[in-house]
């Protein structure tokens, strides 16, 4: 459990990790919950908005890091990301997502 911490453990971090363990939260749930904040009501979000926020808030991503992640993202011609598919890709990999679609 301690190896899951992104850095030094303080009491708050410990409670967060412990709470996730008890509630059975897994990485995919965490990503889906985060993406839900961007859902336009149809399971999609603007790639520009998500890129902006990833580079502006929290642990800021660099442009090349976002671009690397978006290389695998299911982005349509209108610049919208399919959030469920993207979460699956991030947690399971591209190959598994393609197998599930077949």
């Amino acid at each position: 459990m301690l190896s899951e911490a992104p850095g030094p453990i303080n009491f708050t971090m410990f409670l967060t990790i412990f709470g996730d363990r008890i509630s059975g939260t897994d990485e995919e749930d965490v990503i889906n919950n985060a993406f839900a904040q961007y859902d336009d009501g149809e399971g999609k979000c603007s790639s520009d908005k998500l890129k902006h926020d990833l580079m502006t808030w929290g642990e800021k991503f660099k442009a090349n890091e976002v671009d690397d992640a978006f290389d695998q993202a299911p982005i349509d011609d209108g610049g919208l990301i399919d959030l469920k598919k993207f979460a699956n890709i991030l947690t399971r990999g591209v190959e598994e997502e393609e197998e599930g679609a077949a």
Side-chain angles (χ1 to χ4, degrees):
M1 182 168 88
L2 295 178
S3 64
E4 295 174 28
I9 298 288
N10 60 26
F11 188 69
T12 304
M13 179 63 67
F14 173 78
L15 289 178
T16 301
I17 294 171
F18 190 72
D20 287 347
R21 281 290 178 130
I22 289 175
S23 68
T25 302
D26 63 12
E27 188 174 331
E28 190 169 353
D29 289 340
V30 172
I31 291 172
N32 283 329
N33 287 337
F35 280 169
Q37 305 306 308
Y38 292 90
D39 192 335
D40 65 1
E42 295 182 14
K44 297 185 178 200
C45 79
S46 164
S47 58
D48 290 337
K49 169 75 171 142
L50 184 57
K51 181 175 184 172
H52 172 269
D53 287 0
L54 288 171
M55 294 174 57
T56 305
W57 309 109
E59 293 184 33
K60 297 173 183 75
F61 282 65
K62 296 177 182 152
N64 64 322
E65 293 171 323
V66 176
D67 291 341
D68 287 346
F70 281 16
D71 283 345
Q72 303 299 320
I75 302 174
D76 66 18
D77 294 336
L80 298 176
I81 299 174
D82 183 313
L83 295 173
K84 184 174 181 175
K85 286 182 182 178
F86 194 32
N88 286 338
I89 289 168
L90 292 173
T91 58
R92 298 183 184 146
V94 177
E95 295 83 20
E96 246 183 79
E97 175 61 28
E98 289 172 351
E99 288 172 7

